[in-house]
């Protein structure tokens, strides 16, 4: 079994089509790709894919193998990144990632601690969605990240930071903007903007809240990210649910209101790879409680 077999298998599984994977992802001929997949199945000793008129589906064995194949490829990429860092020790660098929008709250104090620990180090920032940050941590591209507790993140550890309540975000001129709080049934008749296309943890929290309060949320639009969610709210007159930190990024066209009753909450955590041996990472993690206290003191 070679790495190319794993890459080919993952591409086919994700595209659901040998033809699409061959042409768009792998730039190879379909007969060659089919042969590589057959060789992989022979090596593993079980059938991984079912070929049908509607494309490719994974067998139960294939679904299990896919998780391990992805992890193996991530580990290879992480090994390469670690080797490149070791070959250039004079370029001391530390990469810190943020769930887009959280830089406003956490970056100043995080930078202060990092500079106290390593005054001459080069610090690089990365703002992405939470699943993207988890992937970057697993690949060794990011040293530490402020993100959600992602489920599909083997090899990562998480340190709890805070719980954030969700709030309703709506147009500034909306009739509900005059309310001090927004109840579940206030949202029921409104155009709903789903902010969860790249936020599976947030989706789970919103779905659990809707089930708890008996609210049916049928998205009229799916937002790609925080800024697109607020843009859709402003342009469509709809309502969305976002973590409290979104208040730091509101445009004048939209407002945020607390949810009435027991509002749902979502955890913000600090994530890092267990295999990351950076001394600076270890010292930074040791000051997590101090970081939280500094941020809380500044509101």
């Amino acid at each position: 079994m070679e790495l190319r077999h794993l890459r080919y298998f993952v591409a086919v599984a994700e595209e659901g089509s040998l033809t699409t994977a061959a042409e768009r992802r792998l730039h190879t001929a379909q007969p060659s790709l089919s042969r590589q997949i057959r060789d992989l199945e022979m090596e593993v000793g079980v059938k991984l894919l079912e070929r049908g008129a509607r494309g490719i589906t994974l067998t139960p064995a294939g679904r299990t193998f896919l998780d391990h194949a992805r992890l193996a490829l991530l580990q290879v990429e992480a090994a390469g990144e670690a080797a490149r860092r070791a070959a250039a020790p004079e370029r001391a660098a530390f990469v810190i990632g943020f769930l887009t929008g959280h830089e406003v709250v956490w970056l100043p104090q995080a930078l202060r601690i990092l500079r106290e620990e390593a005054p001459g180090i080069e610090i690089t920032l990365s703002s992405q969605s939470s699943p993207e940050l988890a992937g970057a941590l697993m690949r060794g591209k990011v040293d530490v990240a402020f993100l959600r507790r992602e489920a599909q993140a083997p090899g990562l550890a998480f340190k709890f930071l805070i719980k954030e309540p969700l709030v309703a975000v709506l147009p500034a001129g909306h009739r509900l903007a005059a309310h001090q709080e927004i109840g579940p049934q206030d949202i029921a008749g409104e155009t709903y903007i789903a902010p969860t296309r790249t936020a599976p943890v947030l989706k789970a929290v919103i779905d659990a809240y809707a089930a708890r309060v008996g609210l049916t949320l049928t998205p009229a639009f799916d937002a790609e990210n925080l800024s697109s969610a607020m843009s859709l709210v402003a342009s469509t007159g709809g309502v969305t649910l976002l973590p409290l930190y979104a208040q730091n990024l509101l445009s004048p066209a939209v407002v945020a209101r607390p949810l009435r009753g027991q509002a749902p909450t979502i955890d913000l955590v600090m994530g890092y790879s267990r295999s990351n041996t950076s001394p600076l990472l270890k010292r930074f993690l040791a000051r997590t409680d101090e970081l939280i206290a500094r941020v809380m003191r500044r509101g």
Side-chain angles (χ1 to χ4, degrees), residues 203-285:
K203 182 180 189 306
V205 169
I206 292 175
D207 289 347
Y209 169 68
R212 173 166 61 84
V213 298
L215 175 62
T216 300
L217 293 173
T218 303
F221 302 94
D222 291 314
E224 288 285 351
N225 49 45
L226 183 67
S227 60
S228 67
M230 290 191 286
S231 295
L232 283 167
V233 166
S235 60
T236 67
V239 176
T240 193
L241 300 177
L242 291 171
L244 182 63
Y245 81 94
Q247 289 188 146
N248 298 313
L249 305 169
L250 294 183
S251 74
V254 297
V255 296
R257 294 291 181 265
L259 292 170
R260 187 179 303 124
Q262 185 180 353
T265 61
I266 188 169
D267 289 354
L268 181 70
V269 299
M270 189 185 295
Y272 59 96
S273 173
R274 290 188 176 93
S275 63
N276 190 333
T277 58
S278 164
L280 178 55
L281 172 63
K282 185 176 181 179
R283 297 199 301 273
F284 183 69
L285 293 172

Side-chain angles (χ1 to χ4, degrees), residues 39-282:
D39 290 346
L40 176 62
E41 289 178 321
M42 289 181 63
E43 178 71 24
V44 176
V46 296
K47 196 173 185 62
L48 301 174
L49 302 173
E50 294 285 356
R51 299 156 178 82
R54 295 188 176 182
I56 296 295
T57 57
L58 294 175
T59 65
R63 288 194 292 272
T64 299
F65 188 77
L66 178 61
D67 291 337
H68 289 278
R70 284 171 169 158
L71 178 58
L73 292 173
L74 282 170
Q75 288 174 330
V76 168
E77 189 172 344
E81 181 67 20
R84 286 187 288 272
R85 287 189 180 186
E90 72 282 355
R91 200 183 113 236
F94 190 85
V95 183
I96 182 168
F98 287 93
L99 179 60
T100 303
H102 275 287
E103 307 94 326
V104 177
V105 178
W106 295 90
L107 177 58
Q109 300 308 319
L111 285 180
R112 180 173 296 182
I113 289 175
L114 287 170
R115 285 169 178 156
E116 288 171 358
E117 292 293 339
I121 199 163
E122 175 187 335
I123 300 172
T124 303
L125 307 182
S126 176
S127 296
Q128 301 178 73
S129 69
S130 184
E132 288 172 333
L133 287 171
L137 287 169
M138 288 187 286
R139 291 191 297 271
K141 299 289 188 181
V142 172
D143 290 292
V144 68
F146 294 70
L147 73 168
R148 305 303 178 196
R149 197 183 299 271
E150 298 294 334
Q152 301 300 319
L156 298 191
F158 300 102
K159 296 191 71 168
F160 173 78
L161 295 175
I162 59 169
K163 284 187 178 295
E164 299 178 87
L166 266 58
V167 295
V169 176
L170 55 153
H174 196 284
R175 61 181 180 81
L176 294 175
H179 293 204
Q180 293 298 311
E181 297 178 326
I182 305 296
Q185 297 314 311
D186 295 329
I187 301 171
E190 300 298 323
T191 299
Y192 177 62
I193 311 298
T196 56
R197 183 175 290 182
T198 57
V201 178
L202 178 58
K203 182 180 189 306
V205 169
I206 292 175
D207 289 347
Y209 169 68
R212 173 166 61 84
V213 298
L215 175 62
T216 300
L217 293 173
T218 303
F221 302 94
D222 291 314
E224 288 285 351
N225 49 45
L226 183 67
S227 60
S228 67
M230 290 191 286
S231 295
L232 283 167
V233 166
S235 60
T236 67
V239 176
T240 193
L241 300 177
L242 291 171
L244 182 63
Y245 81 94
Q247 289 188 146
N248 298 313
L249 305 169
L250 294 183
S251 74
V254 297
V255 296
R257 294 291 181 265
L259 292 170
R260 187 179 303 124
Q262 185 180 353
T265 61
I266 188 169
D267 289 354
L268 181 70
V269 299
M270 189 185 295
Y272 59 96
S273 173
R274 290 188 176 93
S275 63
N276 190 333
T277 58
S278 164
L280 178 55
L281 172 63
K282 185 176 181 179

